Each structure stands twice: as C-alpha cells, then as structure tokens.
C-alpha cells in the first residue's frame, strides 16, 4: 500500500478537483487511479471500497474515505489549513459552503442540455456578480488582511482561487469589479505549491470536454 | 452577546430541522424567529446579516452563521458531538455526508410538483433501503458498539436517527430488516433530551403540508 494518498475517480475535474487542489496547495504528493470503464467502477463497488457505492474515494492513512467534504475536511485538518479554533473553522466552513454552492452550479454546466445552457450561464453570472464575489470582496475589505480567515493561509483561500479561475473561464470580465479578489488571486498563484500546480504537467485537470463527458456517461451510466 | 442561539428560518423543517435535532441531542436551548413573509426575508437581506442572502442563519456566540453544514459543524464541535480526533471526525463526516445526500431529497420533495414528488419518494425509499441503511447497519455490525463512531454519541448518530424517523413517515417498515438500526433508534430515542424533543410541544417541526408549501413559495418566491 502506497504511503501517498490514492485518489479514485474519472480522469476529469468533477468532484475530485477541489481535493487535488487542496493536496497540491498543502504540498502533498498523491497518486491517481482513473476509472476508465463501468467495469472499473463495479469492481470498486464489489470490493466493498465505496461506502455509498460512489466516488470520489481517497485511500489515505489506512482509511477508505468517500464523500468530498469528508475528504477535504480530513486533509485540511491534517495539514493545518482549517483555522486555529472553532470560530475560525466556522467562518472557513461558511465561506467554503458558499464557494461550493457556486462551484456546483458551474460544475453542472457540462451536463446541461444545450437548450438550457444559456439560461444557466446567465444565472451563474448573475450569482457570481451579485451574490458570491461581493460577499468575499467584503470579507477581505473588512479586515484588510492577505487571507480570508485568521491572517494566514487556509483551505478556503485555495477553494476560492480555484473558483475564481472557473469564473474567469466563463467570462474574464466578471472579476473586474473586485480588486481585492484579484489581488488575492495573484498572491495565491505565486505561492510555490500553487504556482507548480498551475503549470502544465501537473495533476490539475483541463476544462471538461465532450469526449470526457461521453466517457463519464458510460462509466456512471447516466444520460 | 451572551444568551441563547437565535435561529432564523421559516416555520418548517427544511434545512433547519437537522440543526434542531442536533441541539436537542446536545440539550441546548435556543430561540427561533420565523420568517412569515417575503418582507421578513428582504429585511434580513437589507440588514446585511445573510452572507449569501440565504437562510438558515443562526446568531450564536457573536457570529451570524449561514450554511447548514457550517452551523452543524460549529455546534457539533462546541458540544462534543464531533469525535475525539481527526480520524473519528473523518468517519463522522463520511457518514453525515451520505445522510445529507438522502436528506437533500427529503427536504425538497414536499415542494416538488405532483409527478416529480412520487418519483422522488420512490427514489428515496429505494436508496434508503438498498444503499444507506445497509451501509450503516454494516458499520454497527462491524464494531458491535452502541454508537456509530468511537463508542460515543456523535452528530452522525443524530442525523441517522432523524433520517430513520423521516423515512418511517414514508414507509413504516423501512428498517424492518435492520435490527441494529432499530436498536440504535430505540437507544437514542430513550435519551432524555431526545425523548422530550419527540414529544408534542417541542421545537420539532411536523411533516411539511400544503399550507407550509404555499407559505414558503411566497416567502422565498419560488
């Protein structure tokens, strides 16, 4: 058994990408076993490795963890990216959950039927501009610090950076009204582990293309 | 500001109910301000107290917390319902998140249109019986202890028992084949704080009815 965490998922962003980001930011090397066919998924299920028959699944420290948030929470705690106390963790959780809400909307776009896509994109842009980015700009403005919580790097800075990059992929002008978020994005992108992860050849996954979606449909047997 | 936590939500189960269960288990008193109209919601928004313009929101220990998981995690840590270390927390999170997936269906289905609603109910029963309840029966069987994690009550036990009660409203026999879940349900239900919560007159909300749905549509404009 490897001492490095082993990530089980399809070769795509999906629900595993935020975990890849967090491990990378924490400077933790990890291995990936990609699910290529529905048989691969069935084997994991039959071997009893997936508590709820689903992936993501991460083998780490003798555990076989499923559920994205359980995995993220464990990694964040282990690598001291979870704040210094209960109250900092509450803020981190609150901010993270908002990020996940918007992130999930963006993630679902790739599965959206073409005739619904434009409406979904409009909604995402509206929420980005009017609900989520203003909320985080306000946090940074309120304390004037370099990080969202506790004046030091935590998981939520990484989650936000990841989200800002997806927002830019949709429409790069969306960040224009938010100077503090832009500054945060630059600052975080310069951190050595993050810089490395942003470069070609890292385990970061590209935008999900049609080929990847088709493959995922076959693996997970959904329409 | 010292004093009891203050819950902001409509007078319904929805996303606040699991928090009510958790505080009942912890034996912690709280107050509730129920949204009655869309104006109530808009006032919270214009007062700037809802970080993402949404409820649930809980005022506690000088914070205005939104996002159900943030609220649950804070109370769980504060009242020692979150395990003794990182690894126990990982198990508690994994179990809680599985239940949250099922709960997501349960929270939303009363507000679905008629055709969709029946399909969701069937889907929930199927998932409860074939995916979720077997998984938790297996956990209890594996260690033979009275609680899911670390031989001590945690949020995972509370969420599981809440879900059992929820599913029994859809199918009274749904845990007929799960003796260890039945035992857990009995054990938790007999705890004084939970026993009180399960009685009429507690803060526990009844099943969502048509009147509640109509009111919610007006408050949240959906």
């Amino acid at each position: 058994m490897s001492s490095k965490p082993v990530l089980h998922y399809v070769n795509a962003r999906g629900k595993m990408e935020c975990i890849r980001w967090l491990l990378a930011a924490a400077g933790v090397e990890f291995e990936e076993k990609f699910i290529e066919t529905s048989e691969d998924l069935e084997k994991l299920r039959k071997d009893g490795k997936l508590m709820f028959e689903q992936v993501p699944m991460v083998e780490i420290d003798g555990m076989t963890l499923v559920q994205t948030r359980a995995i993220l929470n464990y990694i964040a705690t282990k690598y001291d990216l979870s704040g210094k106390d209960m109250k900092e963790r509450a803020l981190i959780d609150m901010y993270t959950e908002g990020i996940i809400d918007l992130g999930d909307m963006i993630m679902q776009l790739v599965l959206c039927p073409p005739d619904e896509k434009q409406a979904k994109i409009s909604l995402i842009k509206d929420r980005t501009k009017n609900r989520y980015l203003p909320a985080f700009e306000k946090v940074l403005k309120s304390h004037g610090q370099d990080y969202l919580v506790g004046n030091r790097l935590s998981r939520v800075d990484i989650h936000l950076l990841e989200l800002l990059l997806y927002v830019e992929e949709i429409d790069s002008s969306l960040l224009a009204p938010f100077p503090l978020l832009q500054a945060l994005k630059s600052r975080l992108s310069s951190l050595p582990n993050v810089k490395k992860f942003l470069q070609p050849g890292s385990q970061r996954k590209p935008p999900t293309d049609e080929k990847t979606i088709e493959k995922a449909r076959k693996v997970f047997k959904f329409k | 500001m010292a004093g009891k936590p203050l819950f902001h939500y409509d007078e319904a189960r929805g996303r606040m109910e699991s928090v009510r269960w958790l505080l009942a288990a912890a034996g912690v008193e709280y107050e509730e301000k129920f949204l009655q109209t869309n104006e109530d919601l808009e006032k919270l928004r214009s007062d700037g107290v809802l970080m993402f313009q949404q409820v649930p929101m809980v005022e506690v220990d000088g914070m205005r917390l939104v996002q159900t998981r943030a609220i649950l995690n804070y109370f769980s840590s504060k009242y020692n319902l979150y395990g003794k270390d990182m690894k126990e927390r990982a198990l508690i999170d994994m179990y809680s998140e599985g239940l949250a997936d099922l709960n997501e269906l349960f929270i939303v289905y009363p507000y679905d249109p008629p055709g969709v609603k029946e399909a969701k109910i069937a889907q929930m029963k199927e998932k409860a019986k074939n995916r979720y309840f077997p998984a938790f029966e297996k956990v209890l069987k594996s260690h033979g202890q009275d609680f899911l994690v670390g031989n001590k009550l945690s949020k995972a036990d509370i969420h599981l028992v809440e879900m059992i009660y929820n599913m029994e409203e859809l199918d009274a026999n749904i845990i007929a084949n799960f003796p260890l879940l039945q035992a857990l349900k009995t054990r938790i239900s007999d705890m004084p704080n939970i026993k009180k919560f399960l009685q009429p007159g507690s803060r526990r909300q009844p099943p969502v009815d048509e009147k509640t749905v109509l009111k919610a549509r007006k408050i949240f404009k959906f």
Side-chain angles (χ1 to χ4, degrees), chain A residues 65-100:
Chain A
L65 280 186
V66 297
Q67 290 292 339
T68 310
R69 287 171 174 91
I71 297 163
L72 286 171
N73 290 355
Y74 183 75
I75 294 165
T77 304
K78 182 174 179 180
Y79 296 104
D80 201 22
L81 290 167
S82 213
K84 73 179 199 296
D85 57 30
M86 235 168 40
K87 279 194 165 186
E88 284 196 355
R89 206 156 55 230
L91 296 182
I92 286 169
D93 280 348
M94 179 163 66
Y95 302 168
T96 297
E97 288 297 310
I99 290 167
I100 290 176

Side-chain angles (χ1 to χ4, degrees), chain A residues 31-206:
Chain A
E31 284 167 19
E32 302 198 75
K33 261 184 113 167
F34 295 121
I35 298 168
E36 304 280 340
T37 64
S38 68
E39 286 75 31
D40 292 342
L41 181 60
E42 281 318 302
K43 180 163 197 312
L44 283 174
R45 286 170 171 162
K46 255 196 334 187
D47 290 347
K49 302 220 161 142
L50 308 179
M51 183 172 181
F52 306 112
E53 318 303 347
Q54 299 164 316
V55 287
M57 185 270 277
V58 173
E59 297 177 87
I60 184 169
D61 297 341
M63 297 181 293
T64 308
L65 280 186
V66 297
Q67 290 292 339
T68 310
R69 287 171 174 91
I71 297 163
L72 286 171
N73 290 355
Y74 183 75
I75 294 165
T77 304
K78 182 174 179 180
Y79 296 104
D80 201 22
L81 290 167
S82 213
K84 73 179 199 296
D85 57 30
M86 235 168 40
K87 279 194 165 186
E88 284 196 355
R89 206 156 55 230
L91 296 182
I92 286 169
D93 280 348
M94 179 163 66
Y95 302 168
T96 297
E97 288 297 310
I99 290 167
I100 290 176
D101 280 351
L102 183 58
D104 277 353
M105 287 175 73
I106 294 174
M107 201 195 308
Q108 303 290 339
L109 262 183
V110 297
L111 299 175
C112 190
D115 57 341
E116 289 173 28
K117 216 161 195 165
Q118 218 34 246
K120 290 268 163 74
I121 292 176
S122 293
L123 181 61
I124 287 170
K125 287 190 187 183
D126 176 63
R127 289 275 151 84
T128 300
K129 260 194 307 213
N130 298 319
R131 175 175 289 187
Y132 292 104
L133 296 196
F136 294 114
E137 183 82 2
K138 184 177 172 188
V139 168
L140 291 172
K141 189 162 194 202
S142 75
H143 54 53
Q145 292 168 3
D146 280 358
Y147 302 99
L148 282 166
V149 177
N151 207 12
R152 88 183 172 117
L153 183 73
S154 79
R155 61 180 289 192
V156 68
D157 300 296
I158 303 302
H159 299 326
L160 183 55
L161 173 63
E162 183 191 355
L163 180 70
L164 293 178
L165 293 172
Y166 298 153
V167 163
E168 270 189 334
E169 280 176 4
I170 290 175
D171 179 350
S172 54
S173 73
L174 285 168
L175 258 63
F178 307 106
L180 298 179
L181 291 180
Q182 291 173 48
L184 178 73
K185 178 170 163 278
S186 294
R187 229 168 17 248
L188 294 174
S189 302
S190 317
L191 296 173
N193 290 328
V194 177
K195 194 171 191 174
K196 209 167 87 174
F197 191 62
L198 287 169
Q199 276 155 8
S202 81
Q203 285 161 297
R204 187 166 72 116
K205 302 296 174 268

Side-chain angles (χ1 to χ4, degrees), chain B residues 14-199:
Chain B
R15 295 177 185 289
M16 192 62 101
E17 193 72 353
S18 54
V19 187
R20 298 181 183 113
W21 269 87
L22 190 79
L23 286 206
V28 173
E29 283 181 21
Y30 56 96
E31 283 165 18
E32 301 197 78
K33 240 177 134 175
F34 294 121
L35 299 175
Q36 304 289 356
T37 63
N38 177 255
E39 287 71 33
D40 291 341
L41 177 60
E42 286 308 323
K43 178 158 200 314
L44 287 175
R45 285 169 168 166
S46 57
D47 285 349
V49 299
L50 306 179
M51 183 172 183
F52 305 114
Q53 317 311 324
Q54 299 163 316
V55 287
M57 186 269 276
V58 173
E59 296 179 64
V60 57
D61 296 338
M63 299 181 292
R64 289 185 177 110
L65 280 187
V66 297
Q67 292 289 347
T68 313
R69 286 172 174 89
I71 296 164
L72 286 170
N73 291 353
Y74 181 75
F75 281 131
S76 298
S77 294
K78 185 171 181 182
Y79 298 112
N80 278 312
L81 292 167
Y82 220 163
K84 72 177 200 297
D85 58 31
M86 238 169 36
K87 281 197 165 184
E88 283 196 355
R89 208 156 53 229
L91 295 181
I92 289 168
D93 279 341
M94 180 162 66
Y95 303 165
S96 298
E97 285 298 307
L99 289 163
D101 281 350
L102 184 57
N103 200 28
E104 194 60 33
L105 298 174
F106 188 79
I107 288 171
V108 173
Y109 94 85
Y111 305 91
D112 282 329
V116 178
K117 195 188 278 194
E118 279 69 51
K120 283 264 180 77
I121 291 173
Q123 189 190 14
M124 271 190 286
K125 288 201 246 182
E126 193 271 331
K127 287 226 156 97
K129 269 199 292 221
N130 297 325
R131 174 177 287 187
Y132 295 102
F133 289 163
F136 292 113
E137 183 80 4
K138 185 177 169 186
V139 169
L140 291 170
K141 190 162 189 196
S142 74
H143 54 52
Q145 292 169 0
D146 279 358
F147 303 101
L148 284 168
V149 179
N151 211 11
K152 181 164 116 87
L153 182 72
S154 76
K155 71 191 289 272
D157 302 294
I158 307 305
H159 298 325
L160 176 54
V161 171
E162 180 189 358
M163 184 52 66
I164 290 171
Y165 274 100
N166 288 347
M167 290 295 113
E168 283 180 335
E169 286 174 4
L170 302 177
D171 174 356
N173 298 315
I174 201 158
I175 57 167
N177 296 330
F178 303 107
L180 298 177
L181 292 185
Q182 292 170 37
L184 179 75
K185 181 192 166 209
T186 303
R187 219 160 28 242
I188 303 281
S189 302
D190 285 345
M191 291 169 52
N193 289 327
I194 300 290
K195 196 171 199 164
K196 212 167 81 177
F197 186 65
L198 289 167
Q199 274 156 10

